[in-house]
Amino acid sequence: MSNGEQLATILHVDMDAFYASVAEKDNPKLKGKAVVVGAGRRGVVSAANYEARKFGIRAAMPVYKAKALAPHAIFISPDMARYEEVSIAVMKIFEEVTPLVEPISLDEAFLDVTGSKRLLGSGRQIADLIRKRVEEQEGITCSVGISHNKFIAKIASNHCKPNGVLEIDPEKVLDFLHPLAAKEIWGVGPKTNEQLMKMGLLTVGDIANTPRSTLIRVLGQASGSSLYELAWGRDYRDVETEHIEKSISASETFDLDLDSQEEILKEFLRLTERGVERMREKGF
């Protein structure tokens, strides 16, 4: 970076237990209770509020396991149309702050607020403004990570949940990053984490201090190079405002097996129609 060049200010804004929070917003009687979004004997947990998480319930867990952990919890079916409605309203709040918004999912986005600071104040002040507007206008909370790139901002938001703000100064990135578990790096799933553990690489710092060539030899060119760069806190990706939808899906988990071809075809056609409706809604 040349002298005088300004570092970007990137926010990662993540709604807190979004699906469950929307349910609590729509039904205040749920507040203070363990709420799990997920239904059906074969369903999986889409979201769990923080009360439910105290019992070990996590997203993607089978519903029957969640019910065994917390039989008293309130289980509700997902309402994607409602979540999309609230998500649109939240994204509009972001766009009032900066035009540089990159939605990642219904409940999270990256914001480049570098150009907004002159009008709205520091990154932390902008984060506080966003959190206040989201809570006042939509009745839910969010957590915000702040740093000079997307990778560090996202990790920061994970470390200040729920309803918090964490700013990582560029000069202190490695102090924050290197003690963290290796699995906190983007792209390190269970399989990759297992490979790293076999190499004795347990923390981000361990990865950073491993030769790039070694990581490439074990993990492949793309993964090895990416992991090495991220371990040093380097992420050169810009906030991208244009997002091309790669796929649109419609799915459902059935309580009982569908054995007959007639039943399978009926459900297949129904899901196909639902997918077509979503395509029309997206303007395809």
Side-chain angles (χ1 to χ4, degrees), residues 111-126:
L111 286 69
D112 186 336
V113 299
T114 310
S116 304
K117 293 194 293 183
R118 188 170 183 179
L119 180 63
L120 299 176
S122 67
R124 180 173 287 271
Q125 288 173 314
I126 295 172

Side-chain angles (χ1 to χ4, degrees), residues 20-208:
S21 295
V22 172
E24 290 179 28
K25 169 191 174 181
D26 292 343
N27 182 4
K29 292 181 180 179
L30 296 177
K31 289 188 179 295
K33 299 177 182 179
V35 177
V36 180
V37 179
R41 288 183 294 176
R42 295 183 176 180
V44 296
V45 173
S46 298
N49 71 356
Y50 291 94
E51 287 297 320
R53 294 182 193 185
K54 293 177 182 178
F55 298 94
I57 298 175
R58 297 289 183 270
M61 173 183 288
V63 168
Y64 74 87
K65 285 189 177 181
K67 288 184 175 180
L69 290 171
H72 65 286
I74 299 172
F75 288 78
I76 58 177
S77 298
D79 184 351
M80 295 308 300
R82 178 63 176 141
Y83 306 145
E84 288 181 8
E85 181 184 358
V86 176
S87 175
I88 289 170
V90 168
M91 296 299 167
K92 286 181 179 178
I93 292 173
F94 298 165
E95 290 166 358
E96 291 171 357
V97 170
T98 174
L100 302 178
V101 177
E102 179 182 350
I104 304 301
S105 62
L106 289 178
D107 62 343
E108 64 178 314
F110 287 109
L111 286 69
D112 186 336
V113 299
T114 310
S116 304
K117 293 194 293 183
R118 188 170 183 179
L119 180 63
L120 299 176
S122 67
R124 180 173 287 271
Q125 288 173 314
I126 295 172
D128 288 337
L129 174 65
I130 289 170
R131 291 171 61 236
K132 180 180 178 182
R133 288 183 179 176
V134 168
E135 187 163 13
E136 288 180 349
Q137 296 178 30
E138 296 305 315
I140 58 178
T141 63
C142 60
S143 300
V144 185
I146 312 167
S147 196
H148 66 292
N149 68 39
K150 292 162 73 172
F151 172 56
I152 302 300
K154 180 167 175 60
I155 292 184
S157 72
N158 290 338
H159 281 260
C160 65
K161 298 185 76 68
N163 197 21
V165 178
L166 179 59
E167 182 172 11
I168 307 300
D169 187 283
E171 300 297 325
K172 298 179 180 178
V173 161
L174 298 185
D175 293 335
F176 166 72
L177 186 61
H178 280 184
L180 299 180
K183 63 183 180 181
E184 294 211 36
I185 296 183
W186 262 333
V188 177
K191 185 176 179 180
T192 301
N193 194 45
E194 185 179 343
Q195 289 179 291
L196 293 173
M197 291 179 69
K198 288 179 180 178
M199 297 170 65
L201 306 181
L202 306 181
T203 68
V204 177
D206 292 338
I207 296 171

